[in-house]
Amino acid sequence: MEPLVKVSSPACPLPLENVDTDQLIPARFMKESRAKGYGGFLLHDHRFDAEGKPRDFILNHEQAAGSEILVARRNFGGGSSREAAVYAMVDFGFRCVVAPSFGDIFASNAVNNGLLPAVVSEADAERLLDALAGEPRPVTVDLKSQAITFQGGEVSFDVNPTWKEKLLNGWDDIDLTLARTPDIERFREDYLDQYPWLA
Amino acid sequence: MAGKTLFDKIWQAHEICRNDEGQSLLWVDRHLAHEGSFHAFNKLAERDLAVRHPEQTIGIADHYVPTIGRDLIAVQSKVRNVIEQLVENTRRHGVKLIGLDDPRQGIVHVVGPEQGITQPGLLMVCGDSHTSTHGALGALAFGIGASEVAHVLATQTLWQTKPKRMRIRIDGALAPGVTAKDIALAWISILGADGARGYAIEYAGEVIDALSVEARLTLCNLSIEGGGRCGMIAPDDKTIDYVKGRPFSPEGEALEKAEMYWRTLYSDADAEFDREVILDGRDVAPTVTWGVSPEEALPIDGAVPDPEVAGSEAKARQIRDSLDYMGLKPGQKLTDIQVDRVFIGSCTNARIEDLRSAAEVLRGKRCKVGGIVSPGSTQVKAQAEQEGLDKVFTDAGLEWRESGCSMCVGMNGDLIPSGERCASTTNRNFKGRQGPGARTHLMSPAMVAAAAISGHLTDIRDLQG
């Protein structure tokens, strides 16, 4: 996985609460293979009407195409565990999403795909949204210093320390865990001795 | 030293090691894989990895399966392809499959407890957020994403940050007509859809003790809708009686040893929780959602909220947006909301007790609106037919279908047309959840049945006199 240290790009404001993973990618697109990219499905029903015509929505703005940062309100990515919601964000081009809170499963899915879930206070999310004033404007997210800078301000963000290490180094869990196989197998033997009905 | 919580005891038993940043590597006892696992199996294939302990994963088809019949011939090719990938992936890796044609087939979270796959003290995961259901039997169970599914397949372990502990205590007793679904919608409406984010929830108190095992499954199922990492209930006699004698349960001497252990699984009297929420069962009314998040729920005798009197501009904005999507007016009485159809099904409320409670309301009556009944499992379907419940539903004018996730998530094509309104026993009223533009009101099975008869949201207590 590609390491993530700093992201500088126009940031898209999405001033909504409870943007659940069903909105991020509606279930009807989840039978598609990843190979063709999920970016077109991101927030599909916000972006397009029933006839497939684009609506006036932030992700349809011209500058949104080059945006790597999304700023939203509380409880972003709650709901279904579908990792496809993160695939859609990553395939669209996002590398960081800033919000006051995230669905737990969404946040770990994000990190596993190199997408940073940056947690800010409600007040800082509002400051950032005010600064963006409804359009994509330049923002820098620095993972090392956990700081978000924008025209006229700076706010700090929280991130789980293990996730920070994983993102900074582009580490992949499976490789790291496989390296511990002897420890795991030793644990398993003791475990099955203790709980023999599970053997 | 303070005692341990139920959660701490199970977590500790599964902790292999901890890294420098404090994340724990956990041993996974049981992994349930539905058709959505194809992303994870693709990831294994890309890296040429094997399934480390195939005997600890069980494949079950539920999300994409047709409910009209069990034949895949008439199924849209892309949907069929997803189902066939589960068959192929489990076959290739030597994983047991409960497929479409298996009499044990059903929704993973119904099949797990029903088959005895779910047991107290286990650590269980599944690529589905409602894995929290299994905690009702005293397991530590939570949903994971596709990358994590691949990790479990490759290593039989998972890295997790230990959540904080929250106890939701419900004392007193429930009034007639009030169910586990109402308890869940009530606490989520109080704490918010992210109110339990970062917490493992334990439910306790007199009301929980009195709930049946099936009702506890409904309550734990909805933990994720309040943001909880998992929901749990300490196993008691009811739990142990329920688990015994099921196909995957231990027997004989193994059962004796297991039972001794299961009886140690409770929060010690001096265990400390990071947060405690106390509710009185007598305050819980039959509850329905009016908006687009499970937190937007109210007692059925209430009215749709008015954004003008909301506490803050943010709250007002959210209410306006929800009313707009749902096509409702501020101040409208909930019981005046007309419905176009109903759905009884899903991992939340499609067990036999749920079907019985809906059938009791419908018996001898005719529905004003149509809808689908999809049992939680093929076994629940057989049981319901044995009891004649299928006849009650069809006589009332509802469709009796095969088991699957069906109109809860609509992946199999069971959808509600745009703009239509559905009274539903499911777990999510999100925008577009039951189809683009579909409007969903969540409630208990008996309340859905009542809405079907009257054609509008209805207080079950009025029918019960």
Side-chain angles (χ1 to χ4, degrees):
Chain A
M1 213 161 59
E2 204 184 318
L4 183 146
V5 181
K6 196 188 261 196
V7 185
S8 283
S9 92
C12 279
L14 185 68
L16 299 174
E17 297 182 3
N18 293 327
V19 178
D20 52 72
T21 55
D22 274 81
Q23 291 177 64
L24 289 171
I25 182 166
R28 61 188 188 279
F29 300 119
M30 290 180 50
K31 42 194 184 285
E32 304 295 338
S33 145
R34 175 84 189 276
K36 62 160 105 164
Y38 274 26
F41 307 138
L42 178 64
L43 289 161
H44 184 279
D45 295 345
H46 288 266
R47 281 161 70 193
F48 306 101
D49 67 15
E51 279 82 49
K53 288 205 202 74
R55 299 179 200 265
D56 178 20
F57 183 70
I58 187 73
L59 292 191
N60 292 334
H61 289 199
E62 211 177 305
Q63 310 98 300
S67 174
E68 298 179 9
I69 303 163
L70 188 73
V71 183
R73 290 201 165 108
R74 79 173 177 101
N75 200 30
F76 187 89
S80 167
S81 64
R82 59 185 72 167
E83 197 161 303
V86 172
Y87 300 160
M89 292 198 66
V90 169
D91 292 356
F92 188 89
F94 288 113
R95 301 216 66 200
C96 174
V97 49
V98 181
S101 61
F102 293 94
D104 279 338
I105 307 175
F106 173 86
S108 46
N109 288 344
V111 172
N112 283 325
N113 290 278
L115 176 73
L116 165 65
V119 178
V120 294
S121 70
E122 298 247 2
D124 285 344
E126 294 307 319
R127 279 180 65 197
L128 199 44
L129 287 169
D130 284 347
L132 295 173
E135 25 179 308
R137 291 171 198 266
V139 168
T140 297
V141 178
D142 186 331
L143 178 53
K144 268 203 182 130
S145 63
Q146 295 181 214
I148 301 171
T149 45
F150 50 98
Q151 176 90 51
E154 177 172 324
V155 299
S156 64
F157 67 88
D158 281 333
V159 60
N160 170 312
T162 306
W163 291 352
K164 182 175 178 177
E165 286 302 305
K166 276 178 67 172
L167 287 165
L168 284 173
N169 296 290
W171 281 339
D172 179 291
D173 274 347
I174 294 181
D175 288 336
L176 292 176
T177 310
L178 285 174
R180 295 178 190 251
T181 301
D183 290 344
I184 296 170
E185 286 306 311
R186 208 170 311 124
F187 173 92
R188 177 170 179 262
E189 275 173 36
D190 292 348
Y191 181 84
L192 293 180
D193 275 351
Q194 206 174 345
Y195 309 104
W197 61 93
L198 298 176
Chain B
M1 206 177 80
K4 286 187 196 145
T5 65
L6 165 64
F7 170 84
D8 286 310
K9 289 178 182 177
I10 303 179
W11 180 279
Q12 196 171 21
H14 292 85
E15 189 175 56
I16 299 164
C17 60
R18 221 174 292 175
N19 69 12
D20 295 341
E21 290 82 26
Q23 260 202 335
S24 300
L25 184 64
L26 301 174
W27 177 252
V28 174
D29 294 300
R30 301 265 193 277
H31 169 219
L32 304 175
H34 60 78
E35 307 96 300
S37 61
F38 73 92
H39 287 296
F41 279 105
N42 286 350
K43 200 165 168 167
L44 284 196
E46 272 167 32
R47 308 172 53 143
D48 202 20
L49 288 166
V51 175
R52 180 88 199 166
H53 288 290
E55 73 286 0
Q56 283 172 255
T57 289
I58 296 164
I60 302 175
D62 63 1
H63 277 64
Y64 292 80
V65 301
T67 55
I68 294 184
R70 300 278 80 163
D71 206 333
L72 281 184
I73 289 173
V75 172
Q76 193 206 349
S77 66
K78 278 181 178 168
V79 170
R80 189 169 65 223
N81 179 37
V82 175
I83 300 169
E84 285 169 348
Q85 282 185 73
L86 178 69
V87 177
E88 176 55 21
N89 283 324
T90 50
R91 190 198 56 76
R92 182 184 308 148
H93 292 279
V95 168
K96 193 189 302 288
L97 173 68
I98 299 180
L100 199 51
D101 51 359
D102 193 305
R104 299 168 299 175
Q105 179 276 342
I107 306 175
V108 287
H109 310 311
V110 177
V111 173
E114 189 171 81
Q115 293 297 319
I117 297 165
T118 309
Q119 296 166 19
L122 295 186
L123 195 152
M124 299 177 67
V125 296
C126 172
D128 185 281
S129 60
H130 292 104
T131 309
S132 62
T133 311
H134 306 266
L137 299 179
L140 170 50
F142 49 87
I144 56 177
S147 295
E148 292 173 316
V149 170
H151 189 278
V152 171
L153 289 170
T155 69
Q156 202 55 42
T157 67
L158 197 61
W159 288 101
Q160 289 285 295
T161 302
K162 193 173 188 177
K164 289 182 283 185
R165 276 73 77 203
M166 172 192 255
R167 179 157 59 190
I168 300 183
R169 227 193 134 76
I170 307 159
D171 288 318
L174 297 178
V178 180
T179 68
K181 182 66 156 284
D182 303 302
I183 299 173
L185 292 176
W187 83 251
I188 295 164
S189 70
I190 296 166
L191 298 187
D194 58 352
R197 189 181 41 80
Y199 288 95
I201 302 168
E202 180 179 343
Y203 299 96
E206 293 156 359
V207 166
I208 307 303
D209 294 343
L211 288 180
S212 70
V213 169
E214 295 203 346
R216 293 175 186 180
L217 289 162
T218 298
L219 181 60
C220 287
N221 173 275
L222 289 156
S223 303
I224 184 74
E225 305 308 333
R229 194 73 188 92
C230 61
M232 305 175 86
I233 295 171
D236 58 8
D237 289 342
K238 264 187 232 179
T239 319
I240 290 169
D241 288 347
Y242 179 95
V243 174
K244 276 183 190 172
R246 295 180 185 264
F248 286 77
S249 301
E251 292 172 357
E253 203 188 323
L255 175 64
E256 279 172 37
K257 282 187 184 158
E259 190 174 333
M260 269 168 53
Y261 173 62
W262 295 344
R263 291 194 183 277
T264 67
L265 297 173
Y266 53 83
S267 289
D268 296 332
D270 57 344
E272 284 174 14
F273 288 83
D274 300 283
R275 186 170 179 196
E276 182 139 46
V277 174
I278 297 175
L279 301 174
D280 192 318
R282 283 163 292 224
D283 297 337
V284 181
T287 302
V288 298
T289 62
W290 57 269
V292 297
S293 161
E295 73 184 15
E296 294 178 322
L298 284 169
I300 182 67
D301 51 8
V304 173
D306 185 346
E308 298 310 316
V309 294
S312 66
E313 181 43 38
K315 194 77 211 151
R317 199 174 41 226
Q318 195 189 341
I319 294 172
R320 252 181 248 121
D321 178 60
S322 298
L323 293 182
D324 181 47
Y325 181 84
M326 293 298 289
L328 297 172
K329 291 189 198 70
Q332 195 174 352
K333 276 174 67 183
L334 292 173
T335 48
D336 284 345
I337 298 174
Q338 306 284 319
V339 298
D340 300 299
R341 62 181 68 214
V342 300
F343 177 65
I344 298 173
S346 86
C347 58
T348 307
N349 272 133
R351 285 170 277 271
I352 192 69
E353 285 181 11
D354 299 318
L355 299 188
R356 284 178 191 146
S357 78
E360 197 183 318
V361 176
L362 291 169
R363 198 177 295 278
K365 303 246 173 52
R366 206 49 214 169
C367 296
K368 283 220 174 96
V369 297
I372 288 177
V373 184
S374 174
S377 72
T378 304
Q379 200 162 299
V380 168
K381 181 170 187 266
Q383 173 76 31
E385 287 170 357
Q386 208 182 329
E387 296 178 17
L389 305 184
D390 57 325
K391 187 94 174 48
V392 175
F393 291 122
T394 52
D395 285 352
L398 300 179
E399 290 177 55
W400 179 245
R401 296 277 189 96
E402 299 286 344
S403 163
C405 294
S406 183
M407 209 182 263
C408 178
V409 63
M411 284 175 176
N412 70 338
D414 292 349
L415 290 173
I416 291 164
S418 184
E420 284 202 8
R421 192 181 296 286
C422 179
S424 181
T425 67
T426 53
N427 39 53
R428 287 186 174 140
N429 51 340
F430 296 165
K431 288 178 183 173
R433 172 74 176 184
Q434 294 190 296
R439 293 160 171 165
T440 305
H441 295 272
L442 306 176
M443 64 199 78
S444 70
M447 289 277 282
V448 168
I453 293 169
S454 63
H456 56 83
L457 302 190
T458 298
D459 191 336
I460 185 69
R461 293 170 297 192
D462 294 342
L463 291 188
Q464 292 173 335

PDB file of all heavy atoms in Angstrom, chain B residues 103-124:
ATOM      1  N   PRO B 103     -31.159 -27.120   3.440  1.00  0.00           N
ATOM      2  CA  PRO B 103     -32.299 -26.850   4.332  1.00  0.00           C
ATOM      3  C   PRO B 103     -31.934 -25.975   5.535  1.00  0.00           C
ATOM      4  O   PRO B 103     -32.824 -25.477   6.230  1.00  0.00           O
ATOM      5  CB  PRO B 103     -32.735 -28.249   4.794  1.00  0.00           C
ATOM      6  CG  PRO B 103     -31.605 -29.157   4.476  1.00  0.00           C
ATOM      7  CD  PRO B 103     -30.862 -28.555   3.322  1.00  0.00           C
ATOM      8  N   ARG B 104     -30.625 -25.774   5.781  1.00  0.00           N
ATOM      9  CA  ARG B 104     -30.208 -24.917   6.897  1.00  0.00           C
ATOM     10  C   ARG B 104     -29.991 -23.476   6.454  1.00  0.00           C
ATOM     11  O   ARG B 104     -29.632 -22.617   7.255  1.00  0.00           O
ATOM     12  CB  ARG B 104     -28.895 -25.457   7.494  1.00  0.00           C
ATOM     13  CG  ARG B 104     -29.008 -26.864   8.039  1.00  0.00           C
ATOM     14  CD  ARG B 104     -27.631 -27.432   8.342  1.00  0.00           C
ATOM     15  NE  ARG B 104     -26.812 -27.499   7.115  1.00  0.00           N
ATOM     16  CZ  ARG B 104     -25.533 -27.870   7.085  1.00  0.00           C
ATOM     17  NH1 ARG B 104     -24.914 -28.192   8.210  1.00  0.00           N
ATOM     18  NH2 ARG B 104     -24.873 -27.905   5.936  1.00  0.00           N
ATOM     19  N   GLN B 105     -30.165 -23.200   5.138  1.00  0.00           N
ATOM     20  CA  GLN B 105     -29.881 -21.855   4.609  1.00  0.00           C
ATOM     21  C   GLN B 105     -30.725 -20.791   5.320  1.00  0.00           C
ATOM     22  O   GLN B 105     -31.836 -21.061   5.782  1.00  0.00           O
ATOM     23  CB  GLN B 105     -30.167 -21.837   3.090  1.00  0.00           C
ATOM     24  CG  GLN B 105     -29.933 -20.495   2.401  1.00  0.00           C
ATOM     25  CD  GLN B 105     -31.109 -19.525   2.488  1.00  0.00           C
ATOM     26  OE1 GLN B 105     -32.239 -19.925   2.768  1.00  0.00           O
ATOM     27  NE2 GLN B 105     -30.841 -18.243   2.284  1.00  0.00           N
ATOM     28  N   GLY B 106     -30.198 -19.590   5.347  1.00  0.00           N
ATOM     29  CA  GLY B 106     -30.932 -18.464   5.915  1.00  0.00           C
ATOM     30  C   GLY B 106     -29.996 -17.287   6.079  1.00  0.00           C
ATOM     31  O   GLY B 106     -28.870 -17.300   5.576  1.00  0.00           O
ATOM     32  N   ILE B 107     -30.477 -16.271   6.786  1.00  0.00           N
ATOM     33  CA  ILE B 107     -29.647 -15.089   7.029  1.00  0.00           C
ATOM     34  C   ILE B 107     -28.572 -15.473   8.055  1.00  0.00           C
ATOM     35  O   ILE B 107     -28.891 -16.103   9.076  1.00  0.00           O
ATOM     36  CB  ILE B 107     -30.502 -13.917   7.551  1.00  0.00           C
ATOM     37  CG1 ILE B 107     -31.667 -13.646   6.596  1.00  0.00           C
ATOM     38  CG2 ILE B 107     -29.654 -12.677   7.749  1.00  0.00           C
ATOM     39  CD1 ILE B 107     -32.648 -12.586   7.077  1.00  0.00           C
ATOM     40  N   VAL B 108     -27.329 -15.126   7.794  1.00  0.00           N
ATOM     41  CA  VAL B 108     -26.215 -15.580   8.652  1.00  0.00           C
ATOM     42  C   VAL B 108     -26.503 -15.384  10.135  1.00  0.00           C
ATOM     43  O   VAL B 108     -26.187 -16.259  10.937  1.00  0.00           O
ATOM     44  CB  VAL B 108     -24.847 -14.910   8.349  1.00  0.00           C
ATOM     45  CG1 VAL B 108     -24.248 -15.413   7.081  1.00  0.00           C
ATOM     46  CG2 VAL B 108     -24.938 -13.404   8.323  1.00  0.00           C
ATOM     47  N   HIS B 109     -27.110 -14.241  10.473  1.00  0.00           N
ATOM     48  CA  HIS B 109     -27.308 -13.946  11.898  1.00  0.00           C
ATOM     49  C   HIS B 109     -28.509 -14.685  12.492  1.00  0.00           C
ATOM     50  O   HIS B 109     -28.733 -14.635  13.695  1.00  0.00           O
ATOM     51  CB  HIS B 109     -27.424 -12.437  12.118  1.00  0.00           C
ATOM     52  CG  HIS B 109     -26.326 -11.683  11.460  1.00  0.00           C
ATOM     53  ND1 HIS B 109     -24.998 -12.037  11.620  1.00  0.00           N
ATOM     54  CD2 HIS B 109     -26.324 -10.634  10.604  1.00  0.00           C
ATOM     55  CE1 HIS B 109     -24.255 -11.216  10.889  1.00  0.00           C
ATOM     56  NE2 HIS B 109     -25.031 -10.376  10.266  1.00  0.00           N
ATOM     57  N   VAL B 110     -29.290 -15.329  11.638  1.00  0.00           N
ATOM     58  CA  VAL B 110     -30.355 -16.202  12.134  1.00  0.00           C
ATOM     59  C   VAL B 110     -29.831 -17.643  12.183  1.00  0.00           C
ATOM     60  O   VAL B 110     -30.071 -18.372  13.146  1.00  0.00           O
ATOM     61  CB  VAL B 110     -31.616 -16.089  11.245  1.00  0.00           C
ATOM     62  CG1 VAL B 110     -32.693 -17.061  11.717  1.00  0.00           C
ATOM     63  CG2 VAL B 110     -32.142 -14.656  11.250  1.00  0.00           C
ATOM     64  N   VAL B 111     -29.075 -18.022  11.163  1.00  0.00           N
ATOM     65  CA  VAL B 111     -28.560 -19.384  11.074  1.00  0.00           C
ATOM     66  C   VAL B 111     -27.535 -19.679  12.177  1.00  0.00           C
ATOM     67  O   VAL B 111     -27.536 -20.775  12.754  1.00  0.00           O
ATOM     68  CB  VAL B 111     -27.925 -19.628   9.677  1.00  0.00           C
ATOM     69  CG1 VAL B 111     -27.232 -20.982   9.616  1.00  0.00           C
ATOM     70  CG2 VAL B 111     -28.992 -19.526   8.588  1.00  0.00           C
ATOM     71  N   GLY B 112     -26.686 -18.717  12.472  1.00  0.00           N
ATOM     72  CA  GLY B 112     -25.632 -18.932  13.479  1.00  0.00           C
ATOM     73  C   GLY B 112     -26.196 -19.438  14.805  1.00  0.00           C
ATOM     74  O   GLY B 112     -25.841 -20.530  15.269  1.00  0.00           O
ATOM     75  N   PRO B 113     -27.089 -18.669  15.424  1.00  0.00           N
ATOM     76  CA  PRO B 113     -27.701 -19.138  16.683  1.00  0.00           C
ATOM     77  C   PRO B 113     -28.525 -20.414  16.484  1.00  0.00           C
ATOM     78  O   PRO B 113     -28.474 -21.316  17.327  1.00  0.00           O
ATOM     79  CB  PRO B 113     -28.604 -17.965  17.091  1.00  0.00           C
ATOM     80  CG  PRO B 113     -28.034 -16.769  16.413  1.00  0.00           C
ATOM     81  CD  PRO B 113     -27.461 -17.280  15.120  1.00  0.00           C
ATOM     82  N   GLU B 114     -29.257 -20.489  15.393  1.00  0.00           N
ATOM     83  CA  GLU B 114     -30.156 -21.617  15.148  1.00  0.00           C
ATOM     84  C   GLU B 114     -29.387 -22.937  15.043  1.00  0.00           C
ATOM     85  O   GLU B 114     -29.842 -23.975  15.539  1.00  0.00           O
ATOM     86  CB  GLU B 114     -30.871 -21.329  13.823  1.00  0.00           C
ATOM     87  CG  GLU B 114     -31.992 -22.224  13.441  1.00  0.00           C
ATOM     88  CD  GLU B 114     -32.706 -21.640  12.228  1.00  0.00           C
ATOM     89  OE1 GLU B 114     -32.223 -21.827  11.093  1.00  0.00           O
ATOM     90  OE2 GLU B 114     -33.723 -20.961  12.404  1.00  0.00           O
ATOM     91  N   GLN B 115     -28.210 -22.899  14.425  1.00  0.00           N
ATOM     92  CA  GLN B 115     -27.432 -24.123  14.231  1.00  0.00           C
ATOM     93  C   GLN B 115     -26.479 -24.397  15.399  1.00  0.00           C
ATOM     94  O   GLN B 115     -25.744 -25.372  15.382  1.00  0.00           O
ATOM     95  CB  GLN B 115     -26.626 -24.038  12.922  1.00  0.00           C
ATOM     96  CG  GLN B 115     -27.497 -24.037  11.660  1.00  0.00           C
ATOM     97  CD  GLN B 115     -28.293 -25.320  11.514  1.00  0.00           C
ATOM     98  OE1 GLN B 115     -27.804 -26.409  11.772  1.00  0.00           O
ATOM     99  NE2 GLN B 115     -29.559 -25.199  11.098  1.00  0.00           N
ATOM    100  N   GLY B 116     -26.432 -23.505  16.368  1.00  0.00           N
ATOM    101  CA  GLY B 116     -25.487 -23.691  17.476  1.00  0.00           C
ATOM    102  C   GLY B 116     -24.066 -23.295  17.106  1.00  0.00           C
ATOM    103  O   GLY B 116     -23.116 -23.595  17.838  1.00  0.00           O
ATOM    104  N   ILE B 117     -23.910 -22.604  15.972  1.00  0.00           N
ATOM    105  CA  ILE B 117     -22.586 -22.084  15.591  1.00  0.00           C
ATOM    106  C   ILE B 117     -22.208 -20.998  16.600  1.00  0.00           C
ATOM    107  O   ILE B 117     -21.067 -20.869  17.003  1.00  0.00           O
ATOM    108  CB  ILE B 117     -22.630 -21.511  14.149  1.00  0.00           C
ATOM    109  CG1 ILE B 117     -22.956 -22.614  13.138  1.00  0.00           C
ATOM    110  CG2 ILE B 117     -21.326 -20.811  13.803  1.00  0.00           C
ATOM    111  CD1 ILE B 117     -23.364 -22.106  11.757  1.00  0.00           C
ATOM    112  N   THR B 118     -23.213 -20.233  17.011  1.00  0.00           N
ATOM    113  CA  THR B 118     -23.028 -19.174  18.007  1.00  0.00           C
ATOM    114  C   THR B 118     -23.094 -19.780  19.403  1.00  0.00           C
ATOM    115  O   THR B 118     -24.062 -20.471  19.730  1.00  0.00           O
ATOM    116  CB  THR B 118     -24.156 -18.132  17.869  1.00  0.00           C
ATOM    117  OG1 THR B 118     -24.243 -17.738  16.500  1.00  0.00           O
ATOM    118  CG2 THR B 118     -23.915 -16.928  18.758  1.00  0.00           C
ATOM    119  N   GLN B 119     -22.053 -19.545  20.201  1.00  0.00           N
ATOM    120  CA  GLN B 119     -22.022 -20.066  21.574  1.00  0.00           C
ATOM    121  C   GLN B 119     -21.438 -19.000  22.508  1.00  0.00           C
ATOM    122  O   GLN B 119     -20.682 -18.144  22.067  1.00  0.00           O
ATOM    123  CB  GLN B 119     -21.126 -21.318  21.636  1.00  0.00           C
ATOM    124  CG  GLN B 119     -21.629 -22.488  20.816  1.00  0.00           C
ATOM    125  CD  GLN B 119     -20.567 -23.570  20.636  1.00  0.00           C
ATOM    126  OE1 GLN B 119     -19.590 -23.630  21.376  1.00  0.00           O
ATOM    127  NE2 GLN B 119     -20.750 -24.413  19.629  1.00  0.00           N
ATOM    128  N   PRO B 120     -21.762 -19.088  23.772  1.00  0.00           N
ATOM    129  CA  PRO B 120     -21.195 -18.127  24.725  1.00  0.00           C
ATOM    130  C   PRO B 120     -19.662 -18.168  24.693  1.00  0.00           C
ATOM    131  O   PRO B 120     -19.077 -19.242  24.472  1.00  0.00           O
ATOM    132  CB  PRO B 120     -21.711 -18.632  26.081  1.00  0.00           C
ATOM    133  CG  PRO B 120     -22.950 -19.400  25.770  1.00  0.00           C
ATOM    134  CD  PRO B 120     -22.696 -20.029  24.435  1.00  0.00           C
ATOM    135  N   GLY B 121     -19.053 -17.025  24.896  1.00  0.00           N
ATOM    136  CA  GLY B 121     -17.600 -16.969  25.035  1.00  0.00           C
ATOM    137  C   GLY B 121     -16.818 -16.967  23.732  1.00  0.00           C
ATOM    138  O   GLY B 121     -15.604 -16.775  23.746  1.00  0.00           O
ATOM    139  N   LEU B 122     -17.480 -17.182  22.611  1.00  0.00           N
ATOM    140  CA  LEU B 122     -16.754 -17.214  21.341  1.00  0.00           C
ATOM    141  C   LEU B 122     -16.450 -15.802  20.850  1.00  0.00           C
ATOM    142  O   LEU B 122     -17.197 -14.871  21.133  1.00  0.00           O
ATOM    143  CB  LEU B 122     -17.580 -17.914  20.257  1.00  0.00           C
ATOM    144  CG  LEU B 122     -17.891 -19.393  20.443  1.00  0.00           C
ATOM    145  CD1 LEU B 122     -18.590 -19.925  19.193  1.00  0.00           C
ATOM    146  CD2 LEU B 122     -16.607 -20.178  20.687  1.00  0.00           C
ATOM    147  N   LEU B 123     -15.381 -15.675  20.072  1.00  0.00           N
ATOM    148  CA  LEU B 123     -15.154 -14.458  19.315  1.00  0.00           C
ATOM    149  C   LEU B 123     -15.559 -14.759  17.879  1.00  0.00           C
ATOM    150  O   LEU B 123     -15.000 -15.654  17.244  1.00  0.00           O
ATOM    151  CB  LEU B 123     -13.700 -13.996  19.400  1.00  0.00           C
ATOM    152  CG  LEU B 123     -13.513 -12.542  18.921  1.00  0.00           C
ATOM    153  CD1 LEU B 123     -12.313 -11.909  19.614  1.00  0.00           C
ATOM    154  CD2 LEU B 123     -13.331 -12.435  17.423  1.00  0.00           C
ATOM    155  N   MET B 124     -16.577 -14.047  17.415  1.00  0.00           N
ATOM    156  CA  MET B 124     -17.136 -14.295  16.088  1.00  0.00           C
ATOM    157  C   MET B 124     -17.077 -13.034  15.243  1.00  0.00           C
ATOM    158  O   MET B 124     -17.343 -11.939  15.742  1.00  0.00           O
ATOM    159  CB  MET B 124     -18.602 -14.729  16.206  1.00  0.00           C
ATOM    160  CG  MET B 124     -18.773 -16.004  16.988  1.00  0.00           C
ATOM    161  SD  MET B 124     -20.521 -16.439  17.174  1.00  0.00           S
ATOM    162  CE  MET B 124     -20.983 -16.807  15.482  1.00  0.00           C
TER     163      MET B 124
END
